[in-house]
Amino acid sequence: MTRTTKTAHMRMSSLFAPTLKEDPAEAELNSHRLLLRAGFIRKQAAGLYTYLPLAWRSLQKIEEIIRDEMNASGAQELQMPIMVDAALWEASGRFGAYGPELMRFSDRHGREFVLGPTHEETITDLVKDELKSYKQLPVNLYQIQDKFRDEMRPRFGLMRGRDFIMKDGYSFDANPAGMQASYDTMKDAYARICERCHIKALPVVADSGQIGGDTSVEYMALADAGEASLVYCDSCGYAADDEAAVSPLVVEALSANDEVTRVHTPNITSIAALAQFFDIAERATVKALALLDEAGSPVVCFLPGDHDLNEVKAEHLFGTYHLMDDDELKAYKLHKGFMGPVNLPDGIRIVCDTSLKSSAHWVCGANELDYHLTGVCPGRDFEPDTWADLVTVVAGDPCPHCGASLAGARGIEVSQVFQLGTKYSEAMGATFMDEDGKEKPFYMGCYGIGVSRTLAAAVEQYNDEYGIVWPVAIAPYEVALIPLDPKKEPCLSATETLFESLLEAGIETILDDRDERPGVKFADNDLMGFPYQVILGRRGLERGVVEVKTRATGERVEVLIDELVAYITKRVSAERDMA
Ligand code: ATP
Ligand code: MG
C-alpha cells in the first residue's frame, strides 16, 4: 500500500538498518557500539562513516533545531565549497601552522587545495570583497557541511571522525562591542540548541577563565566517556576545563612545629609515602618539581602535595619547558624526591604556587638525600622568586566566583563559540569603511557545532542495557507499532487502522511488520530506541486494548484502542521539540 501522508513513516520489513547480534569488538564507547549494533552507522575506513537512514533522520532533526535557532538569531544560511584554495590558507598563515590534520591535495594543474576543516579563510575572503561599509554590519553567516580533519587518532565512531558534520558560523562586526553582542547572542542560541536536543551540557570557559568575562565557551555534554575533564560549581554555575580552571585555593598551616626540623626519611620519595610517614594529608605536604625553562634556566616549582603541575599554566610562565631528567638533576645537585626551598643550590629560581602563600610550616625536601624538613616558613626560611598559579584545579577546590566546593565531571565538547577579534581580517586584508571614514578590519566571531558528534553525545547520555533511548525531539521515529501477529486477523486490520490514524495525527511511526518472534521484535525496537512502543497482542485486541511501553522508563500501560491516538499524541507532543 502506498501512502500519501507527509508524516514520516516506515515499515521495518523494508527499513535499511542492518542490526548486529553481537557487540562489535572495535567499539569502546556505548554510543559507538550502539550506533553500529542498531544499524545506524557503518564504517568505510578509519574515521569515515556512512549515516544509515535512521541516523540520518536524527541528524536532520538536530540540523533543523540548529537552523531554527540560527535563523531566529538573525544568522543566514549559505553553503561554501568544501574544497578551499590553499592560497587562502597561505594568506591567513595557517597553511603551515595547521599541521598534518589538514587534508591537502592538488588539482590536475598542480594547484594546491585543502578540504576545509573549518572555514574562517573562505568566509573572510568572501566578505572582504562584498561588505564595504559599517552600514552593512553586523552580518552573521553559517553553513552545515562535512568537515575534514586527518585526526591523529580517529576513534569512538562519530565522536572523532575524519569526515564529520559541522555547523560553522561566522559573525562580522565593526567593533569589539558589536563582536561581544554577536558572541553573546550565539552563546545563548547554543545553550538553547543543547536544550532542544536534550543534551545535558555545561558552558565551560575554554581559554582565559578570567572572572567576569569570557571570549570562548565550549558546551560540554556531560558523559563519563568524555575526553575532557571539567570542574563546575553547583552554587553559581561556574564551569571550566580543569586545564583552564582557576581556584582561590588556600593551603593552611601544614606541620604543627614552628621550627625548621630535619627529619631522616630514608627512601621516602613519593608524596603518598611522605604523607604516610608523617601521618598527615597529602595536601599538607609540598611537592617539588625541577624543570628547565625555554631559556634553559633551572627552576624548582613548589605545589601542594595533592595537586599536579598544570602544563598549560606552566607553559605561560616558562615557555617551552621540560622537567629535568636524572642527569640534569645531578648536574644541578638536586636530589629527586628530596628537593625543598631551603638550601637550594645557588642560581635556581624558586616558583611557588599561590595557594601556599599564607601557609607556614611546610613539610618539604631538605635538598639532602633521605632527609625532609618540617616547619619551613616562606619569608622566614627562604624567599621565593615568584608566586604563581601553577596547579590543575581538582574537584573539592573552591570556586573562583563564589568559593563553594567545585565538583568534577567528564564531558564531550559538542560546540564552541569564540571571539576571533581581527586575527583573520587583518591577516587577509578584510576591511570595511567605518563611520569615521577610516578603513578598519572586521571584528569576527566563530561558532561551531559538531552535528554528528552531538548525535553520538546524545546516545552516550541516553542508553541502557537494552540499547538506545532516544529523546523524542531527535528520535528517528517517535512511535514503533509492534503487532505480534502481523499476518493474522484481528491483528492485521487493527494494525493497519492504527498505523493510518497515527500518521494522520502526525505521529512519526515505524511499523514492525516483520514476521519475527515477539522476543526478536522487542529486542530490536529496544535496541533502536524509539521512545514509545505500541504493542498489539491477540488477547489485548479481544478486549479492545493495546499496550504502550515507554522506552525510557520501561513503564507499560494498557490503552483502549479507541483512545490510543489521543493518548500517544498527548505523550509525544509534550516531549517533542517545539520550534
Ligand atoms: P576537539 O578538541 O574535540 O578536537 P576542536 O576544538 O578541535 O575539537 P572545533 O574546531 O571547535 O573542534 O570544531 C567545532 C566542533 O566540531 C567541536 O566542538 C566538535 O563538536 C566538532 N568536532 C571537531 N572535531 C571533530 C571530529 N574529529 N569528529 C567529530 N566532530 C568534531
Ligand atoms: Mg573546539
Side-chain angles (χ1 to χ4, degrees):
M1 190 189 340
T2 46
R3 286 172 204 282
T4 50
T5 176
K6 294 232 170 70
T7 306
H9 60 282
M10 177 53 61
R11 281 173 192 262
M12 226 185 257
S13 56
S14 38
L15 174 70
F16 185 56
T19 54
L20 303 175
K21 292 242 149 38
E22 305 290 332
D23 280 337
E26 81 255 35
E28 290 169 58
L29 297 197
N30 282 327
S31 55
H32 188 193
R33 177 175 66 81
L34 290 172
L35 288 170
L36 280 169
R37 264 199 77 179
F40 280 62
I41 58 170
R42 277 298 177 270
K43 179 166 147 184
Q44 185 235 107
L48 305 181
Y49 286 87
T50 298
Y51 311 110
L52 299 178
L54 290 176
W56 193 242
R57 286 194 53 78
S58 288
L59 286 167
Q60 282 176 314
K61 289 190 176 180
I62 295 171
E63 290 186 7
E64 280 319 303
I65 290 171
I66 295 172
R67 283 197 174 91
D68 194 59
E69 284 296 336
M70 286 301 110
N71 299 346
S73 313
Q76 302 172 59
E77 186 171 7
L78 48 56
Q79 192 70 210
M80 293 178 268
I82 285 170
M83 257 170 84
V84 188
D85 193 333
L88 299 182
W89 280 68
E90 296 279 13
S92 72
R94 279 210 292 186
F95 191 62
Y98 205 87
E101 264 185 39
L102 191 62
M103 304 283 272
R104 304 150 204 257
F105 64 102
S106 33
D107 71 6
R108 65 171 76 197
H109 307 293
R111 196 181 173 97
E112 283 192 287
F113 287 86
V114 308
L115 290 180
T118 171
H119 272 62
E120 284 82 2
E121 283 79 0
T122 311
I123 197 117
T124 306
D125 181 62
L126 173 77
V127 303
K128 88 186 240 204
D129 298 322
E130 312 300 343
L131 296 174
K132 309 239 187 249
S133 158
Y134 72 94
K135 287 180 194 154
Q136 295 166 285
L137 301 177
V139 168
N140 190 335
L141 303 168
Y142 76 97
Q143 61 176 354
I144 299 177
Q145 174 186 75
D146 276 34
K147 291 285 185 282
F148 300 84
R149 294 184 186 179
D150 198 359
E151 298 273 358
M152 169 106 102
R153 291 173 72 200
R155 57 192 176 144
F156 305 145
L158 302 187
M159 263 334 156
R160 189 167 292 287
R162 293 197 292 172
D163 171 348
F164 57 96
I165 307 174
M166 197 204 287
K167 172 266 163 181
D168 51 323
Y170 309 88
S171 63
F172 298 88
D173 277 277
N175 49 47
M179 171 175 70
Q180 182 73 47
S182 295
Y183 170 85
D184 290 340
T185 303
M186 284 297 108
K187 201 165 90 173
D188 293 347
Y190 272 41
R192 284 193 300 273
I193 288 166
C194 282
E195 229 169 86
R196 286 174 61 177
C197 292
H198 284 253
I199 298 286
K200 290 167 270 187
L202 284 176
V204 164
V205 173
D207 51 0
S208 58
Q210 278 161 9
I211 298 173
D214 58 70
T215 54
S216 177
V217 158
E218 293 170 338
Y219 284 89
M220 292 283 183
L222 298 176
D224 291 341
E227 288 181 284
S229 168
L230 324 170
V231 290
Y232 65 96
C233 177
D234 262 336
S235 312
C236 76
Y238 171 80
D241 196 290
D242 66 1
E243 291 277 289
V246 293
S247 170
L249 180 69
V250 175
V251 178
E252 304 295 347
L254 299 179
S255 66
N257 60 331
D258 193 33
E259 269 157 48
V260 179
T261 312
R262 185 165 159 272
V263 185
H264 189 216
T265 52
N267 296 320
I268 304 292
T269 53
S270 71
I271 290 295
L274 187 64
Q276 203 181 5
F277 183 90
F278 285 104
D279 195 18
I280 52 177
E282 292 192 7
R283 163 80 51 94
T285 65
V286 173
K287 182 187 282 186
L289 290 166
L291 57 86
L292 292 170
D293 70 8
E294 186 156 305
S297 308
V299 179
V300 178
C301 297
F302 294 98
L303 347 160
D306 62 344
H307 279 67
D308 289 326
L309 180 69
N310 181 308
E311 291 172 20
V312 178
K313 293 176 184 175
E315 237 166 65
H316 280 305
L317 281 167
F318 307 121
T320 310
Y321 71 94
H322 69 270
L323 296 179
M324 287 190 198
D325 61 23
D326 289 351
D327 291 340
E328 288 163 336
L329 287 169
K330 228 181 242 154
Y332 285 99
K333 300 193 171 61
L334 292 168
H335 300 278
K336 194 180 187 173
F338 301 99
M339 290 181 277
V342 179
N343 297 330
L344 206 59
D346 282 346
I348 297 181
R349 201 145 52 101
I350 299 177
V351 180
C352 302
D353 188 67
T354 17
S355 63
L356 293 167
K357 200 165 189 170
S358 60
S359 71
H361 320 314
W362 292 15
V363 176
C364 50
N367 293 315
E368 191 183 342
L369 188 65
D370 287 344
Y371 281 92
H372 277 83
L373 300 179
T374 60
V376 171
C377 280
R380 185 190 70 186
D381 304 318
F382 72 96
E383 206 53 63
D385 294 283
T386 317
W387 292 99
D389 180 9
L390 290 174
V391 298
T392 298
V393 172
V394 297
D397 288 350
C399 169
H401 288 189
C402 74
S405 180
L406 292 169
R410 299 200 70 82
I412 300 162
E413 180 196 326
V414 287
S415 57
Q416 181 166 25
V417 292
F418 205 97
Q419 296 188 28
L420 291 169
T422 57
K423 178 176 171 193
Y424 292 92
S425 49
E426 272 191 65
M428 299 181 69
T431 58
F432 65 97
M433 183 74 74
D434 205 358
E435 229 168 335
D436 56 11
K438 293 202 177 110
E439 284 287 326
K440 292 181 187 164
F442 297 107
Y443 280 85
M444 293 173 56
C446 70
Y447 317 101
I449 303 178
V451 178
S452 43
R453 187 182 279 183
T454 296
L455 185 83
V459 177
E460 212 52 61
Q461 291 188 341
Y462 298 98
N463 73 75
D464 63 14
E465 58 188 309
Y466 305 109
I468 306 173
V469 186
W470 291 108
V472 170
I474 58 169
Y477 293 95
E478 296 163 333
V479 168
L481 193 58
I482 310 176
L484 300 184
D485 288 305
K487 298 269 150 61
K488 284 198 213 128
E489 292 299 355
C491 200
L492 176 63
S493 324
T495 302
E496 289 300 330
T497 311
L498 277 185
F499 194 28
E500 197 76 43
S501 332
L502 285 167
L503 297 181
E504 251 167 54
I507 307 290
E508 299 177 350
T509 309
I510 185 160
L511 168 59
D512 192 350
D513 58 341
R514 298 173 305 164
D515 217 355
E516 289 282 4
R517 283 183 295 113
V520 171
K521 291 187 170 194
F522 294 147
D524 282 348
N525 280 281
D526 278 354
L527 180 62
M528 291 175 180
F530 308 112
Y532 293 99
Q533 298 173 6
V534 177
I535 301 153
L536 290 78
R538 188 167 46 85
R539 257 168 297 165
L541 291 175
E542 280 164 7
R543 289 187 293 120
V545 298
V546 294
E547 194 176 43
V548 177
K549 175 179 156 184
T550 305
R551 177 67 182 88
T553 59
E555 167 214 24
R556 293 163 183 272
V557 289
E558 283 194 340
V559 178
L560 288 171
I561 294 184
D562 293 344
E563 290 169 10
L564 179 82
V565 173
Y567 177 83
I568 287 285
T569 303
K570 190 166 163 227
R571 295 288 301 266
V572 166
S573 50
E575 295 166 48
R576 222 178 231 164
D577 174 57
M578 291 303 161

